[in-house]
Amino acid sequence: MDAQLMTTLQQTHTAVWNEKDRTSRDALMQTIYADDIKMYDKDFILTGTTAVSDFIDKLFAGDDNFKFTTAKPMESTQNGARLYWDIRTGPQPNVLTGMDFFVLENGKVAHLFVFMDAQ
């Protein structure tokens, strides 16, 4: 995976998870996520950009302090990439940490695996 694609993916993914305006978020999602993206969490699987955006809406609705930031630069291998992140939530200092693993097909994220670190 070339450096420009990794930079774009990291910046846009971060922007998607911080964008409170649904129309702007959905437009950003279309640039990096496949329409039929599958997002895998330990408790559920979401299919499609609408379902992922609905999930992000729920995060914002439940927490005005929600903020997604990268912990270090993205790393890639073949058609996969991983991104370590922090989520600031609720009254500070409450920080969740984890990693997203992306599988790209045809230049877009087809599979997004979300790993949350233990609290």
Side-chain angles (χ1 to χ4, degrees):
M1 189 177 309
D2 71 32
Q4 180 58 43
L5 177 57
M6 283 186 19
T7 299
T8 299
L9 180 58
Q10 178 173 327
Q11 290 173 347
T12 307
H13 181 69
T14 302
V16 163
W17 285 83
N18 285 310
E19 182 56 62
K20 292 183 179 183
D21 178 74
R22 176 69 181 245
T23 302
S24 298
R25 180 184 335 120
D26 290 351
L28 285 169
M29 292 174 81
Q30 293 300 315
T31 67
I32 61 166
Y33 298 157
D35 291 337
D36 61 349
I37 185 174
K38 289 201 180 345
M39 181 181 134
Y40 306 88
D41 182 270
K42 72 178 186 87
D43 297 322
F44 58 84
I45 298 172
L46 300 175
T47 301
T49 55
T50 299
V52 174
S53 197
D54 288 347
F55 178 73
I56 296 170
D57 278 339
K58 289 178 187 173
L59 295 174
F60 287 133
D63 188 350
D64 288 337
N65 296 308
F66 183 89
K67 179 75 174 168
F68 180 93
T69 58
T70 58
K72 63 182 189 174
M74 180 177 280
E75 301 170 306
S76 71
T77 180
Q78 302 302 323
N79 291 328
R82 66 180 177 182
L83 178 66
Y84 290 92
W85 46 259
D86 300 322
I87 293 175
R88 303 197 186 288
T89 181
Q92 299 305 314
N94 187 20
V95 178
L96 306 171
T97 60
M99 179 196 74
D100 288 344
F101 186 81
F102 307 86
V103 177
L104 281 73
E105 295 174 2
N106 301 316
K108 291 195 174 186
V109 178
H111 302 276
L112 170 58
F113 296 86
V114 179
F115 296 88
M116 298 275 298
D117 294 334
Q119 286 283 78

